[in-house]
Amino acid sequence: MFGKEEILFSPWNGGYTLTPKKRKRTRSRPKPKSKAQYRQHYLEIFNPSEDINDIQTIKPEDCMKFLKSLKRQNKKIKTGCIIFHNDTDGFFSAIMVRDLLKMLGYQIASEDMHATTHMEIEKIKHDPDKIYLYVDIQPQLFDKNIYCIDHHMIDSKAFKFSSNIFIYSPDNIEREFPTTSALLVVYLRFVHAGGSLKYEEYVNKKIWTNEEFTRLLVLLCTVADNLWLLSTYSKSNNLRDWILEFNLTERKLIKSSMALSVLLGTENERERIIMVFAEKPIELINENFVNSAVESISVQIDNLFKFGQIIVAECEQFAEENFQEVGKELERIEDQIKRKKETIRKYRKAMPIGLKQNTKAIMEMVETVGDRDKPKWKQIEFYGNEIERLETSLINLRGRLDYYQKKKFMISSEIQGICLFIGHQSSDQVKGILSSLLFYFGFKNIVIEEFEHYAVWGARGFSQDALESELTTLTFDKHMLDMYRIVEDVSKTLPKTYQRSLNISQNVTFDVRYIGGMGGRGMVYGGNITGKVPMLFAFLEAKTVIEIENKLRELIKHGQLSTALKGLTEGESAVPTAHALRSKFKSKNWITVQMISGPTSGDILQGDLGMVITWLVGKSKELQIPLIKIDPYNNNNTK
């Protein structure tokens, strides 16, 4: 399955607008002033029973502290439960750590292995008679019987090791090797078996590759969680070097890691895949188990891979077409302005000397002293009207010229990336996989999956600060808005004399903010978008913040804001925040892509896709993406 063939390098390198730039570090890992301060900070956040070390590497003694704590707990607690993130890295990390827990004396049944997401984790209840080990995801609260192994930052910290926390996610680790929870688990197993190497030595000497199947699992997890390291933006070749060294195929590894994550993100497949793997110890599981799982949804994965591939190719072509079209339109407008100016010059030359530069004076004379029956006055009136018409036309042309010059600047400067809006998908891993694929093929991006009242998103290629800025929307404080509406309604019942003296906007303030949660590491982030915004604000997101505030102030001044908020839709004055974001991205230097659902579900995996519409600074284009339509009741799938 993973035999040698030519490595897939993307033909899309981002074009003239997406030349990778050296990223400027915007955040550094906070450093406590003293061990005492760090200890106090940790106690305030997690209230653990032991201290924590803030260090730049993992030593065997750090592993032993964690392992000995688990062993001590086994004197009182015999049953363990593994909670893992429902993706490839989380699942295989859980499979490998299950065997480690059994070596430490715990009983782990298949029903004690639970996949979860960041949205669902708050619903998990803990039994004090069990230990809970979270893998590739972090619990909301820590306790004596709650443990965690993860490679994502915690509380903005890159390293945390204690008796129940084993987290390693340094900012610059990609310079050395990519991080996964799977690598942390196999290192813990190595130390438990008597290994004495530090973590970096263990990884760089490739001790983890000695067992062929373990090596395959670690590589699948690494590709799944670090696909961006194979993109044109990455400065590191470590992951690609690993793939080459072990005679593996990049494309097949990518698709296999995608398939396993998709299965784990699909509710009706998740339990089946867990049962297949969880029933057997790791030494009895082999590549055939992986192959069987991957083959079961190979067509769906081909659909997803093809969708990402075509979106990137079409977006790059669309940007180029826009650039050329804007350039042609600018030439046409400039030519029209030149010809109209020349015509005006000729008309003025034909006018009496005192009227050559004063169109207003021409028309005033025609109206007051002119005799329209005489040829001379008919000529003056004709030229005056024509000059007026041409000058009005010039004003409009200059406005269009300014608009297209701004468009050209936005397109010719660096396009921020692709913002892809998709409907609800059958697997909750689709948005993250799509985001990784778009980045792998050459575009920084945000993928937003919309539900009825909220949205979830994945992003690749941006810092947390940049994402918070891009995902902000204009909003009011709800209580303040309700109070304003009452005052506005009352003011309309007052005599006009009092209305003029009543300042109903004095306490109204606007807020531009990100509404939702966010988490991630490096160039990989995800989160959710919650709440609603007034429909009016969704329309105004296409403007700048200053233009928005000016428009709202104008509505407030005339006592019409409340009416505008209520009257733009029939019965609905607010829309989900994601709708406002779509308006915002469509007007900026982003390529905005909207997926239109097919006849039933709009599911990309199933090939149920109607069409795709792309926007770039006001220009739109419809696309048809040929996917294989999967009929669950018929094996003869069609394109």
Side-chain angles (χ1 to χ4, degrees):
M1 174 182 175
F2 300 98
K4 185 176 181 181
E5 73 174 35
E6 185 179 357
I7 290 180
L8 174 70
F9 288 100
S10 167
W12 300 287
N13 59 9
Y16 61 91
T17 59
L18 290 168
T19 303
K21 294 181 178 180
K22 187 174 181 180
R23 295 176 58 80
K24 182 179 179 181
R25 178 183 285 272
T26 57
R27 283 190 166 195
S28 58
R29 184 170 60 83
K31 295 182 179 179
K33 293 181 180 179
S34 68
K35 289 184 178 179
Q37 287 176 325
Y38 191 89
R39 184 179 300 113
Q40 181 60 34
H41 176 69
Y42 170 72
L43 290 170
E44 289 172 357
I45 299 297
F46 297 111
N47 193 26
S49 56
E50 295 189 39
D51 294 346
I52 185 170
N53 299 319
D54 181 17
I55 53 180
Q56 298 288 322
T57 187
I58 312 176
K59 301 183 289 293
E61 49 264 39
D62 300 309
C63 298
M64 291 309 298
K65 180 189 289 188
F66 186 80
L67 294 168
K68 285 178 180 178
S69 175
L70 281 167
K71 187 66 177 176
R72 282 196 303 270
Q73 284 279 18
N74 187 242
K75 294 178 181 179
K76 298 178 290 183
I77 301 174
K78 302 299 181 184
T79 307
C81 184
I82 301 172
I83 312 293
F84 60 92
H85 189 218
N86 67 331
D87 65 3
T88 301
D89 186 29
F91 177 60
F92 283 133
S93 298
I95 293 296
M96 291 186 285
V97 86
R98 174 205 58 187
D99 289 4
L100 178 60
L101 287 177
K102 286 185 176 181
M103 293 177 199
L104 294 171
Y106 289 96
Q107 299 171 4
I108 310 288
S110 57
E111 57 266 24
D112 290 322
M113 299 185 68
H114 302 285
T116 190
T117 68
H118 295 94
M119 299 282 284
E120 298 169 347
I121 201 166
E122 62 184 23
K123 301 174 185 176
I124 296 174
K125 305 296 183 185
H126 298 116
D127 182 345
D129 295 326
K130 288 185 177 182
I131 67 110
Y132 290 83
L133 178 53
Y134 284 75
V135 185
D136 200 41
I137 197 167
Q138 295 166 21
Q140 291 205 317
L141 294 171
F142 280 90
D143 207 341
K144 291 181 179 179
N145 65 325
I146 298 174
Y147 292 76
C148 180
I149 301 172
D150 194 16
H151 69 119
H152 301 93
M153 288 195 298
I154 180 169
D155 186 36
S156 301
K157 305 292 182 184
F159 310 86
K160 287 203 172 182
F161 304 104
S162 73
S163 58
N164 61 340
I165 298 176
F166 197 79
I167 291 176
Y168 187 64
S169 178
D171 293 336
N172 65 346
I173 196 63
E174 281 76 15
R175 298 177 193 171
E176 305 299 329
F177 52 81
T179 63
T180 59
S181 293
L183 266 174
L184 294 176
V185 170
V186 294
Y187 179 61
L188 279 167
R189 291 176 59 186
F190 166 75
V191 173
H192 179 262
S196 59
L197 295 177
K198 293 181 180 179
Y199 182 57
E200 285 80 359
E201 294 175 310
Y202 171 79
V203 176
N204 289 326
K205 289 182 178 180
K206 299 185 179 64
I207 308 299
W208 54 276
T209 67
N210 292 345
E211 297 176 9
E212 187 175 348
F213 185 59
T214 300
R215 179 180 70 209
L216 173 61
L217 295 189
V218 170
L219 283 171
L220 283 169
C221 294
T222 306
V223 169
D225 263 31
N226 300 273
L227 183 56
W228 60 282
L229 289 176
L230 297 175
S231 76
T232 56
Y233 290 95
S234 177
K235 306 296 183 186
S236 170
N237 290 317
N238 292 315
L239 181 51
R240 186 166 274 125
D241 289 344
W242 286 358
I243 294 169
L244 280 170
E245 182 176 346
F246 299 112
N247 251 6
L248 301 175
T249 304
E250 185 173 309
R251 181 188 289 239
K252 288 182 179 177
L253 274 172
I254 291 171
K255 287 191 173 184
S256 297
S257 67
M258 286 168 55
L260 292 161
S261 288
V262 163
L263 287 169
L264 290 159
T266 307
E267 190 172 354
N268 60 350
E269 292 287 344
R270 187 179 304 157
E271 294 306 318
R272 182 183 69 82
I273 198 78
I274 291 173
M275 290 295 292
V276 168
F277 284 86
E279 289 290 336
K280 297 180 181 294
I282 191 73
E283 59 268 17
L284 296 182
I285 304 173
N286 56 41
E287 189 177 320
N288 292 333
F289 283 76
V290 177
N291 293 350
S292 176
V294 170
E295 288 300 319
S296 69
I297 58 166
S298 60
V299 178
Q300 289 93 324
I301 295 304
D302 285 342
N303 275 343
L304 190 56
F305 196 88
K306 186 176 183 180
F307 181 84
Q309 203 170 29
I310 292 176
I311 285 292
V312 167
E314 291 287 353
C315 283
E316 187 173 64
Q317 182 181 343
F318 182 52
E320 180 64 35
E321 289 171 355
N322 259 269
F323 185 77
Q324 292 178 358
E325 186 176 316
V326 167
K328 290 177 182 178
E329 186 64 18
L330 278 171
E331 289 178 5
R332 193 176 71 81
I333 293 171
E334 287 168 349
D335 183 61
Q336 285 182 322
I337 290 174
K338 183 179 178 181
R339 285 189 284 107
K340 289 184 186 297
K341 281 183 175 180
E342 180 61 23
T343 303
I344 290 173
R345 188 188 67 78
K346 290 178 180 178
Y347 285 167
R348 290 194 188 283
K349 190 174 181 180
M351 301 296 287
I353 292 176
L355 301 175
K356 288 184 184 294
Q357 301 299 325
N358 196 332
T359 308
K360 185 178 179 181
I362 295 172
M363 302 314 294
E364 283 180 358
M365 286 189 65
V366 171
E367 293 294 330
T368 54
V369 300
D371 185 351
R372 288 186 170 89
D373 293 331
K374 293 183 178 180
K376 175 186 174 182
W377 285 105
K378 283 183 179 181
Q379 183 183 21
I380 290 174
E381 183 181 22
F382 169 78
Y383 286 145
N385 285 331
E386 283 298 297
I387 291 171
E388 241 183 10
R389 182 182 63 79
L390 289 167
E391 286 177 337
T392 301
S393 178
L394 272 178
I395 292 171
N396 293 332
L397 283 171
R398 288 188 181 110
R400 292 189 65 203
L401 182 68
D402 181 61
Y403 169 72
Y404 277 97
Q405 283 174 337
K406 288 178 179 177
K407 284 185 70 170
K408 184 177 181 180
F409 173 77
M410 291 176 73
I411 299 172
S412 59
S413 61
E414 185 176 352
I415 289 178
Q416 292 299 308
I418 294 172
C419 185
L420 170 61
F421 289 84
I422 60 176
H424 177 44
Q425 301 296 303
S426 57
S427 171
D428 57 28
Q429 289 293 315
V430 166
K431 67 181 180 305
I433 293 171
L434 264 179
S435 186
S436 292
L437 280 176
L438 297 182
F439 194 70
Y440 172 69
F441 288 130
F443 269 95
K444 293 185 273 187
N445 67 85
I446 302 173
V447 177
I448 299 177
E449 182 179 0
E450 297 182 85
F451 295 79
E452 186 176 358
H453 300 297
Y454 68 98
V456 291
W457 57 271
R460 305 292 183 267
F462 301 99
S463 68
Q464 183 171 341
D465 289 342
L467 286 167
E468 285 180 354
S469 174
E470 293 293 349
L471 294 171
T472 56
T473 52
L474 182 73
T475 187
F476 267 136
D477 176 83
K478 187 177 185 304
H479 175 71
M480 187 182 297
L481 182 58
D482 290 341
M483 291 297 296
Y484 165 78
R485 282 173 165 167
I486 293 170
V487 174
E488 185 183 286
D489 291 342
V490 170
S491 71
K492 290 177 181 178
T493 66
L494 299 175
K496 288 188 177 180
T497 305
Y498 291 104
Q499 287 185 28
R500 283 194 293 268
S501 62
L502 182 64
N503 183 5
I504 63 174
S505 66
Q506 58 183 349
N507 293 320
V508 175
T509 57
F510 309 109
D511 191 13
V512 180
R513 57 183 169 143
Y514 169 63
I515 306 173
M518 183 182 302
R521 64 190 176 92
M523 302 174 79
V524 180
Y525 284 89
N528 63 321
I529 300 166
T530 57
K532 290 187 173 185
V533 298
M535 173 68 87
L536 174 65
F537 290 9
F539 284 123
L540 291 176
E541 284 294 347
K543 305 293 184 182
T544 65
V545 173
I546 299 299
E547 289 173 326
I548 293 169
E549 287 212 21
N550 289 341
K551 181 61 178 177
L552 294 176
R553 294 289 179 194
E554 184 181 343
L555 288 168
I556 290 171
K557 179 180 177 181
H558 294 93
Q560 294 297 318
L561 179 59
S562 184
T563 304
L565 290 173
K566 292 176 182 176
L568 285 166
T569 59
E570 296 184 14
E572 259 317 317
S573 61
V575 295
T577 305
H579 289 205
L581 285 171
R582 184 158 52 243
S583 297
K584 176 179 177 179
F585 282 112
K586 282 165 66 174
S587 66
K588 310 298 181 184
N589 56 333
W590 282 77
I591 302 177
T592 306
V593 183
Q594 174 70 57
M595 190 190 81
I596 308 299
S597 298
T600 53
S601 65
D603 195 296
I604 299 169
L605 293 168
Q606 305 301 319
D608 186 29
L609 191 63
M611 70 171 68
V612 168
I613 303 176
T614 59
W615 288 273
L616 178 58
V617 288
K619 179 72 175 176
S620 65
K621 180 181 179 181
E622 293 183 3
L623 306 174
Q624 296 288 341
I625 299 181
L627 301 180
I628 298 174
K629 182 75 168 67
I630 297 174
D631 183 350
Y633 305 105
N634 185 357
N635 291 327
N636 296 320
N637 300 314
T638 58
K639 290 187 178 181

